[in-house]
Amino acid sequence: MSVLNFFLFCLFFVFGTVCSAGNHGSIGVNYGRIADNLPQPSRVVELLKSNGITRVKIFDAESSVLSALANSNISVTVCMPNGLLSSAANDQSFTDSWLNSNIVPFYPQTMIEAIAVGNEVFVDPPITPYLVPAMKNMYASLRKLKFSSDIKVSSPVALSALQSSYPPSSGSFNSELIEPVIKPMLTFLQRTGSYLMVNSYPFFAYEANTDTISLDFALLRPNEGLKDSANGNVYMSLFEAQLDAVFAALDALNFNDIKVVVSETGWPSAGGDTEFGAGVDNAAAYNGNLVRRVLTGGGTPLRPNDKLNVFLFALFNENQKGGPVSERNYGLFYPDTKKVYDIPLSLDALNGTMSNPTDKSKAKVPVASPPVNQGPSTKGRTWCVANVQAGQEKLQSALDYACGEGGADCRQIQSGGRCFHPDTLEAHASYAFNSYYQKMLRSGGTCYFGGAAYVVTQLPSKFVCM
């Protein structure tokens, strides 16, 4: 049976137990806490255990959370926030102190398996030079404590670190990052036996390219697949295509022995008017089908023997997050611990679901046309806006390029369009620049326009039409 047929067989096998390639992956969950209505950590731990979740990732090293996770048999990835990277890079005594305050009091009763040094650091260029030195100091401090063989050091990378991603076999890292940071980081991961963390969000690629990406392909539902013309590999999901673009980028730099963990992926259950594809049914389909894909075993076309290890984003809807509506609606659970939608989150639950196939996330839809021109995006927290300091002449010239040769969709900022108001050069240029930036899948260098634009990670309210 071919790999493709095996996957399809597993996807539609609904009686008995889960198909197995003898290589089950793992499902974890990101436990974010930017909210004022979440349950106490002790109750969260019970929620994780009752749903068979054995791996969790948090975005700091909060003591109350780490204490609650003690003796729970749940593996934990903690994070050093981006704001601490410069201190961590400049002085190993800082990482010594950080570990003594945030790890030593809890380990090993709390099963800390990894420390994420920063998060999507490349999106914030000023702190990028600090990343590898901070990782090295963290590892050196772990060695002093004799923890380095059990606690890995890594850092989540957004897919915007890729310069090329389509077809997947052409995957390559941003050339401007390779020598100063990508190669040193990969060399560190290789030397320490760690893995690369990657944040992958097919939702954002679909949202920005609904005319060319099949929703079925994005949601891991039945579809005709996408053939990579360079090597003949067939992709049945955007998730796998994005992941193989990362593997191809690693292979291109001769780091094909480095493993990859998907540190974030998910789909929002609600979104704003322009957040196409957001919704409960689609979120259930994406996360439910991804769990099945991971737990049925096997890897991607480029790395068929590698396990898929994935952390879903996120455990709860977080009501205090900024940005678009979707940012507050990635949760698998509401703050009262009720499920937003019902999907299996463990192998035991998946076996039960497949022997009683009533899960609505198992889509039964017609086969779709193969998608084209899709590729990875960033975490989805970046937009391209006009730099008013560039002056009106440069803004107008860049606007003309974006709407003309650049191919941005500028229909909505024409007279009568829904984004015509406010009728200002800054607003219209920002809309056009962002349209081009999203069209180019947020690739490095596509939000510059000769200095007329720049990337933001929190969309200003005056640009809400974007």
Side-chain angles (χ1 to χ4, degrees):
M1 182 182 293
S2 70
V3 173
L4 173 59
N5 287 335
F6 177 82
F7 169 64
L8 292 173
F9 176 73
C10 285
L11 185 62
F12 298 113
F13 184 73
V14 294
F15 296 104
T17 59
V18 176
C19 297
S20 172
N23 202 21
H24 298 313
S26 68
I27 290 291
V29 65
N30 284 271
Y31 173 19
R33 304 190 314 282
I34 305 178
D36 61 5
N37 56 356
L38 298 183
Q40 292 298 311
S42 58
R43 189 179 176 198
V44 172
V45 171
E46 291 305 313
L47 178 68
L48 294 170
K49 293 168 68 174
S50 66
N51 283 275
I53 298 170
T54 59
R55 300 181 77 188
V56 66
K57 176 170 160 279
I58 60 177
F59 293 89
D60 51 22
E62 168 60 38
S63 60
S64 63
V65 174
L66 293 177
S67 293
L69 285 162
N71 303 309
S72 65
N73 290 320
I74 296 173
S75 297
V76 187
T77 296
V78 302
C79 182
M80 169 180 276
N82 289 0
L84 300 182
L85 260 61
S86 62
S87 298
N90 290 327
D91 189 352
Q92 190 188 319
S93 66
F94 182 87
T95 52
D96 289 344
S97 177
W98 190 87
L99 288 173
N100 281 316
S101 297
N102 295 288
I103 302 299
V104 171
F106 309 102
Y107 181 80
Q109 290 79 10
T110 299
M111 295 169 51
I112 299 169
E113 64 174 337
I115 297 173
V117 178
N119 184 51
E120 298 189 345
V121 172
F122 301 153
V123 177
D124 191 359
I127 66 171
T128 297
Y130 300 123
L131 175 59
V132 176
M135 294 173 74
K136 289 180 176 179
N137 280 345
M138 183 67 76
Y139 180 76
S141 295
L142 285 169
R143 286 193 67 185
K144 288 171 64 175
L145 293 167
K146 302 188 186 307
F147 291 170
S148 60
S149 61
D150 297 315
I151 300 177
K152 302 301 182 184
V153 176
S154 187
S155 184
V157 174
L159 286 181
S160 56
L162 295 182
Q163 183 167 290
S164 175
S165 60
Y166 179 80
S169 60
S170 73
S172 62
F173 288 108
N174 185 332
S175 58
E176 295 180 358
L177 295 172
I178 288 176
E179 293 301 330
V181 63
I182 295 290
K183 278 188 175 180
M185 179 181 68
L186 296 177
T187 299
F188 167 82
L189 296 176
Q190 188 179 61
R191 179 174 64 84
T192 61
S194 189
Y195 45 81
L196 179 64
M197 294 179 174
V198 174
N199 293 347
S200 170
Y201 283 83
F203 168 70
F204 295 109
Y206 171 76
E207 177 196 29
N209 298 274
T210 55
D211 56 334
T212 56
I213 297 180
S214 157
L215 182 59
D216 293 328
F217 188 71
L219 296 178
L220 294 90
R221 296 195 300 208
N223 65 92
E224 292 180 1
L226 171 69
K227 185 175 182 179
D228 188 322
S229 59
N231 57 21
N233 285 338
V234 176
Y235 291 88
M236 303 307 298
S237 71
L238 181 54
F239 173 83
E240 289 183 272
Q242 289 186 337
L243 197 50
D244 264 2
V246 176
F247 289 140
L250 290 170
D251 293 346
L253 297 180
N254 296 314
F255 288 98
N256 55 358
D257 58 334
I258 290 180
K259 303 297 183 182
V260 170
V261 167
V262 179
S263 41
E264 290 183 33
T265 190
W267 198 283
S269 60
D273 291 342
T274 61
E275 295 187 278
F276 305 111
V280 171
D281 289 343
N282 288 346
Y286 177 79
N287 285 318
N289 289 331
L290 181 59
V291 169
R292 292 186 185 86
R293 175 67 184 86
V294 170
L295 296 182
T296 54
T300 65
L302 281 184
R303 293 197 183 179
N305 297 319
D306 282 9
K307 297 178 181 179
L308 294 175
N309 295 310
V310 173
F311 286 85
L312 301 179
F313 187 89
L315 187 58
F316 295 110
N317 284 342
E318 298 172 71
N319 68 344
Q320 292 187 318
K321 296 187 74 172
V325 174
S326 63
E327 286 292 313
R328 293 175 289 283
N329 290 281
Y330 274 90
L332 300 169
F333 297 88
Y334 294 110
D336 64 1
T337 73
K338 292 180 181 177
K339 290 184 176 182
V340 178
Y341 42 84
D342 192 11
I343 62 168
L345 294 170
S346 67
L347 192 59
D348 287 344
L350 181 56
N351 284 334
T353 298
M354 296 185 80
S355 62
N356 182 24
T358 59
D359 185 359
K360 293 181 181 179
S361 68
K362 227 192 260 75
K364 300 177 179 64
V365 296
V367 172
S369 299
V372 295
N373 296 334
Q374 89 293 336
S377 70
T378 69
K379 168 73 169 64
R381 295 178 182 175
T382 57
W383 297 264
C384 185
V385 299
N387 177 13
V388 294
Q389 302 301 319
Q392 292 201 352
E393 183 177 349
K394 182 173 281 190
L395 282 182
Q396 186 62 59
S397 177
L399 171 61
D400 292 341
Y401 170 82
C403 293
E405 185 180 345
D409 185 355
C410 297
R411 291 171 295 179
Q412 298 302 329
I413 56 175
Q414 304 302 314
S415 180
R418 64 178 179 81
C419 295
F420 179 70
H421 294 289
D423 182 15
T424 65
L425 178 58
E426 180 189 6
H428 287 184
S430 292
Y431 184 95
F433 297 162
N434 190 59
S435 174
Y436 178 82
Y437 179 58
Q438 306 301 332
K439 173 188 173 184
M440 300 304 292
L441 303 176
R442 305 175 178 92
S443 298
T446 58
C447 179
Y448 183 63
F449 296 97
Y454 61 95
V455 173
V456 296
T457 57
Q458 290 290 340
L459 186 63
S461 58
K462 61 183 176 180
F463 297 137
V464 68
C465 195
M466 293 165 61

mmCIF file of all heavy atoms in Angstrom, residues 149-178:
data_model
loop_
_atom_site.group_PDB
_atom_site.id
_atom_site.type_symbol
_atom_site.label_atom_id
_atom_site.label_comp_id
_atom_site.label_asym_id
_atom_site.label_seq_id
_atom_site.Cartn_x
_atom_site.Cartn_y
_atom_site.Cartn_z
ATOM 1 N N SER A 149 20.880 17.029 29.844
ATOM 2 C CA SER A 149 20.558 15.800 29.114
ATOM 3 C C SER A 149 19.053 15.558 29.068
ATOM 4 O O SER A 149 18.573 14.783 28.224
ATOM 5 C CB SER A 149 21.260 14.598 29.754
ATOM 6 O OG SER A 149 20.837 14.430 31.105
ATOM 7 N N ASP A 150 18.301 16.203 29.952
ATOM 8 C CA ASP A 150 16.858 15.963 30.033
ATOM 9 C C ASP A 150 16.015 17.159 29.581
ATOM 10 O O ASP A 150 14.866 16.987 29.178
ATOM 11 C CB ASP A 150 16.466 15.600 31.466
ATOM 12 C CG ASP A 150 17.120 14.312 31.931
ATOM 13 O OD1 ASP A 150 17.114 13.342 31.153
ATOM 14 O OD2 ASP A 150 17.650 14.290 33.049
ATOM 15 N N ILE A 151 16.560 18.358 29.681
ATOM 16 C CA ILE A 151 15.808 19.555 29.305
ATOM 17 C C ILE A 151 16.443 20.152 28.049
ATOM 18 O O ILE A 151 17.603 20.580 28.076
ATOM 19 C CB ILE A 151 15.793 20.604 30.435
ATOM 20 C CG1 ILE A 151 15.149 20.014 31.695
ATOM 21 C CG2 ILE A 151 15.044 21.854 29.995
ATOM 22 C CD1 ILE A 151 15.149 20.965 32.889
ATOM 23 N N LYS A 152 15.705 20.154 26.956
ATOM 24 C CA LYS A 152 16.210 20.685 25.699
ATOM 25 C C LYS A 152 16.040 22.202 25.646
ATOM 26 O O LYS A 152 15.161 22.771 26.296
ATOM 27 C CB LYS A 152 15.474 20.056 24.522
ATOM 28 C CG LYS A 152 15.573 18.533 24.450
ATOM 29 C CD LYS A 152 17.010 18.061 24.343
ATOM 30 C CE LYS A 152 17.105 16.550 24.234
ATOM 31 N NZ LYS A 152 18.515 16.080 24.226
ATOM 32 N N VAL A 153 16.885 22.839 24.839
ATOM 33 C CA VAL A 153 16.799 24.277 24.600
ATOM 34 C C VAL A 153 16.498 24.499 23.127
ATOM 35 O O VAL A 153 17.197 23.979 22.256
ATOM 36 C CB VAL A 153 18.111 24.992 24.977
ATOM 37 C CG1 VAL A 153 18.037 26.478 24.620
ATOM 38 C CG2 VAL A 153 18.412 24.818 26.463
ATOM 39 N N SER A 154 15.443 25.263 22.841
ATOM 40 C CA SER A 154 15.076 25.551 21.455
ATOM 41 C C SER A 154 14.433 26.933 21.410
ATOM 42 O O SER A 154 14.483 27.684 22.395
ATOM 43 C CB SER A 154 14.135 24.473 20.909
ATOM 44 O OG SER A 154 13.911 24.656 19.521
ATOM 45 N N SER A 155 13.831 27.270 20.261
ATOM 46 C CA SER A 155 13.134 28.548 20.126
ATOM 47 C C SER A 155 12.142 28.446 18.972
ATOM 48 O O SER A 155 12.523 28.052 17.864
ATOM 49 C CB SER A 155 14.132 29.678 19.860
ATOM 50 O OG SER A 155 13.465 30.933 19.831
ATOM 51 N N PRO A 156 10.863 28.767 19.199
ATOM 52 C CA PRO A 156 9.865 28.670 18.137
ATOM 53 C C PRO A 156 10.127 29.673 17.013
ATOM 54 O O PRO A 156 10.376 30.859 17.264
ATOM 55 C CB PRO A 156 8.545 28.981 18.850
ATOM 56 C CG PRO A 156 8.808 28.684 20.293
ATOM 57 C CD PRO A 156 10.243 29.081 20.498
ATOM 58 N N VAL A 157 10.060 29.178 15.783
ATOM 59 C CA VAL A 157 10.304 29.992 14.594
ATOM 60 C C VAL A 157 9.016 30.117 13.800
ATOM 61 O O VAL A 157 8.334 29.128 13.553
ATOM 62 C CB VAL A 157 11.399 29.342 13.728
ATOM 63 C CG1 VAL A 157 11.559 30.084 12.413
ATOM 64 C CG2 VAL A 157 12.729 29.304 14.482
ATOM 65 N N ALA A 158 8.680 31.339 13.400
ATOM 66 C CA ALA A 158 7.534 31.546 12.525
ATOM 67 C C ALA A 158 7.902 31.170 11.102
ATOM 68 O O ALA A 158 9.069 31.228 10.702
ATOM 69 C CB ALA A 158 7.080 33.012 12.571
ATOM 70 N N LEU A 159 6.916 30.785 10.310
ATOM 71 C CA LEU A 159 7.197 30.368 8.938
ATOM 72 C C LEU A 159 7.634 31.516 8.046
ATOM 73 O O LEU A 159 8.049 31.299 6.917
ATOM 74 C CB LEU A 159 5.976 29.661 8.341
ATOM 75 C CG LEU A 159 5.743 28.246 8.878
ATOM 76 C CD1 LEU A 159 4.534 27.619 8.209
ATOM 77 C CD2 LEU A 159 6.963 27.365 8.682
ATOM 78 N N SER A 160 7.556 32.731 8.536
ATOM 79 C CA SER A 160 8.094 33.861 7.778
ATOM 80 C C SER A 160 9.608 33.784 7.681
ATOM 81 O O SER A 160 10.222 34.538 6.925
ATOM 82 C CB SER A 160 7.682 35.184 8.428
ATOM 83 O OG SER A 160 8.103 35.227 9.781
ATOM 84 N N ALA A 161 10.250 32.881 8.438
ATOM 85 C CA ALA A 161 11.693 32.675 8.315
ATOM 86 C C ALA A 161 12.040 32.018 6.988
ATOM 87 O O ALA A 161 13.213 31.970 6.604
ATOM 88 C CB ALA A 161 12.202 31.819 9.469
ATOM 89 N N LEU A 162 11.027 31.497 6.283
ATOM 90 C CA LEU A 162 11.265 30.894 4.973
ATOM 91 C C LEU A 162 11.201 31.952 3.876
ATOM 92 O O LEU A 162 10.304 32.786 3.850
ATOM 93 C CB LEU A 162 10.234 29.805 4.690
ATOM 94 C CG LEU A 162 10.256 28.567 5.589
ATOM 95 C CD1 LEU A 162 9.193 27.572 5.126
ATOM 96 C CD2 LEU A 162 11.625 27.916 5.587
ATOM 97 N N GLN A 163 12.135 31.876 2.984
ATOM 98 C CA GLN A 163 12.132 32.774 1.829
ATOM 99 C C GLN A 163 11.362 32.166 0.673
ATOM 100 O O GLN A 163 10.708 32.867 -0.100
ATOM 101 C CB GLN A 163 13.578 33.057 1.399
ATOM 102 C CG GLN A 163 13.716 34.034 0.246
ATOM 103 C CD GLN A 163 15.156 34.490 0.091
ATOM 104 O OE1 GLN A 163 15.671 35.221 0.926
ATOM 105 N NE2 GLN A 163 15.811 34.039 -0.957
ATOM 106 N N SER A 164 11.436 30.848 0.548
ATOM 107 C CA SER A 164 10.706 30.128 -0.496
ATOM 108 C C SER A 164 10.001 28.942 0.137
ATOM 109 O O SER A 164 10.557 28.288 1.022
ATOM 110 C CB SER A 164 11.663 29.634 -1.584
ATOM 111 O OG SER A 164 10.988 28.837 -2.536
ATOM 112 N N SER A 165 8.782 28.681 -0.306
ATOM 113 C CA SER A 165 8.015 27.589 0.305
ATOM 114 C C SER A 165 7.148 26.833 -0.690
ATOM 115 O O SER A 165 6.507 25.865 -0.315
ATOM 116 C CB SER A 165 7.114 28.153 1.408
ATOM 117 O OG SER A 165 6.223 29.112 0.869
ATOM 118 N N TYR A 166 7.095 27.275 -1.928
ATOM 119 C CA TYR A 166 6.248 26.605 -2.907
ATOM 120 C C TYR A 166 7.006 26.410 -4.206
ATOM 121 O O TYR A 166 7.592 27.362 -4.717
ATOM 122 C CB TYR A 166 4.970 27.416 -3.174
ATOM 123 C CG TYR A 166 4.084 26.741 -4.209
ATOM 124 C CD1 TYR A 166 3.253 25.689 -3.838
ATOM 125 C CD2 TYR A 166 4.118 27.132 -5.542
ATOM 126 C CE1 TYR A 166 2.469 25.049 -4.778
ATOM 127 C CE2 TYR A 166 3.327 26.484 -6.488
ATOM 128 C CZ TYR A 166 2.512 25.446 -6.105
ATOM 129 O OH TYR A 166 1.744 24.805 -7.039
ATOM 130 N N PRO A 167 7.030 25.161 -4.725
ATOM 131 C CA PRO A 167 6.505 23.948 -4.085
ATOM 132 C C PRO A 167 7.314 23.593 -2.838
ATOM 133 O O PRO A 167 8.417 24.126 -2.645
ATOM 134 C CB PRO A 167 6.664 22.892 -5.181
ATOM 135 C CG PRO A 167 7.812 23.382 -6.005
ATOM 136 C CD PRO A 167 7.695 24.873 -6.008
ATOM 137 N N PRO A 168 6.789 22.687 -2.004
ATOM 138 C CA PRO A 168 7.473 22.395 -0.746
ATOM 139 C C PRO A 168 8.946 22.030 -0.913
ATOM 140 O O PRO A 168 9.775 22.407 -0.078
ATOM 141 C CB PRO A 168 6.666 21.218 -0.178
ATOM 142 C CG PRO A 168 5.289 21.436 -0.723
ATOM 143 C CD PRO A 168 5.487 21.979 -2.104
ATOM 144 N N SER A 169 9.280 21.334 -1.989
ATOM 145 C CA SER A 169 10.669 20.908 -2.192
ATOM 146 C C SER A 169 11.614 22.078 -2.405
ATOM 147 O O SER A 169 12.839 21.926 -2.312
ATOM 148 C CB SER A 169 10.756 19.956 -3.383
ATOM 149 O OG SER A 169 10.290 20.597 -4.561
ATOM 150 N N SER A 170 11.079 23.272 -2.687
ATOM 151 C CA SER A 170 11.923 24.447 -2.910
ATOM 152 C C SER A 170 12.145 25.236 -1.622
ATOM 153 O O SER A 170 12.749 26.306 -1.655
ATOM 154 C CB SER A 170 11.288 25.371 -3.952
ATOM 155 O OG SER A 170 10.163 26.051 -3.412
ATOM 156 N N GLY A 171 11.668 24.722 -0.502
ATOM 157 C CA GLY A 171 11.760 25.444 0.759
ATOM 158 C C GLY A 171 13.174 25.901 1.073
ATOM 159 O O GLY A 171 14.133 25.139 0.955
ATOM 160 N N SER A 172 13.307 27.159 1.473
ATOM 161 C CA SER A 172 14.615 27.703 1.840
ATOM 162 C C SER A 172 14.408 28.810 2.861
ATOM 163 O O SER A 172 13.376 29.469 2.887
ATOM 164 C CB SER A 172 15.353 28.246 0.621
ATOM 165 O OG SER A 172 14.641 29.321 0.029
ATOM 166 N N PHE A 173 15.409 29.017 3.701
ATOM 167 C CA PHE A 173 15.335 30.065 4.706
ATOM 168 C C PHE A 173 15.660 31.423 4.099
ATOM 169 O O PHE A 173 16.333 31.526 3.070
ATOM 170 C CB PHE A 173 16.300 29.772 5.862
ATOM 171 C CG PHE A 173 15.871 28.634 6.741
ATOM 172 C CD1 PHE A 173 16.554 27.418 6.703
ATOM 173 C CD2 PHE A 173 14.798 28.770 7.600
ATOM 174 C CE1 PHE A 173 16.167 26.361 7.516
ATOM 175 C CE2 PHE A 173 14.392 27.715 8.420
ATOM 176 C CZ PHE A 173 15.082 26.515 8.368
ATOM 177 N N ASN A 174 15.174 32.465 4.762
ATOM 178 C CA ASN A 174 15.465 33.831 4.363
ATOM 179 C C ASN A 174 16.980 34.019 4.291
ATOM 180 O O ASN A 174 17.695 33.832 5.274
ATOM 181 C CB ASN A 174 14.856 34.793 5.392
ATOM 182 C CG ASN A 174 15.001 36.248 5.015
ATOM 183 O OD1 ASN A 174 15.939 36.634 4.320
ATOM 184 N ND2 ASN A 174 14.077 37.073 5.484
ATOM 185 N N SER A 175 17.472 34.387 3.115
ATOM 186 C CA SER A 175 18.912 34.472 2.896
ATOM 187 C C SER A 175 19.585 35.473 3.829
ATOM 188 O O SER A 175 20.759 35.316 4.172
ATOM 189 C CB SER A 175 19.206 34.835 1.437
ATOM 190 O OG SER A 175 18.590 36.068 1.087
ATOM 191 N N GLU A 176 18.867 36.508 4.243
ATOM 192 C CA GLU A 176 19.449 37.514 5.134
ATOM 193 C C GLU A 176 19.646 36.990 6.552
ATOM 194 O O GLU A 176 20.413 37.557 7.326
ATOM 195 C CB GLU A 176 18.568 38.763 5.168
ATOM 196 C CG GLU A 176 18.483 39.493 3.830
ATOM 197 C CD GLU A 176 17.609 40.727 3.915
ATOM 198 O OE1 GLU A 176 17.039 40.985 4.987
ATOM 199 O OE2 GLU A 176 17.491 41.428 2.891
ATOM 200 N N LEU A 177 18.955 35.898 6.883
ATOM 201 C CA LEU A 177 19.057 35.339 8.236
ATOM 202 C C LEU A 177 20.000 34.151 8.325
ATOM 203 O O LEU A 177 20.424 33.777 9.426
ATOM 204 C CB LEU A 177 17.670 34.897 8.721
ATOM 205 C CG LEU A 177 16.604 35.972 8.925
ATOM 206 C CD1 LEU A 177 15.252 35.322 9.210
ATOM 207 C CD2 LEU A 177 16.989 36.898 10.063
ATOM 208 N N ILE A 178 20.337 33.553 7.194
ATOM 209 C CA ILE A 178 21.045 32.274 7.218
ATOM 210 C C ILE A 178 22.380 32.356 7.943
ATOM 211 O O ILE A 178 22.626 31.613 8.909
ATOM 212 C CB ILE A 178 21.236 31.730 5.790
ATOM 213 C CG1 ILE A 178 19.893 31.249 5.231
ATOM 214 C CG2 ILE A 178 22.227 30.557 5.793
ATOM 215 C CD1 ILE A 178 19.954 30.777 3.786
#
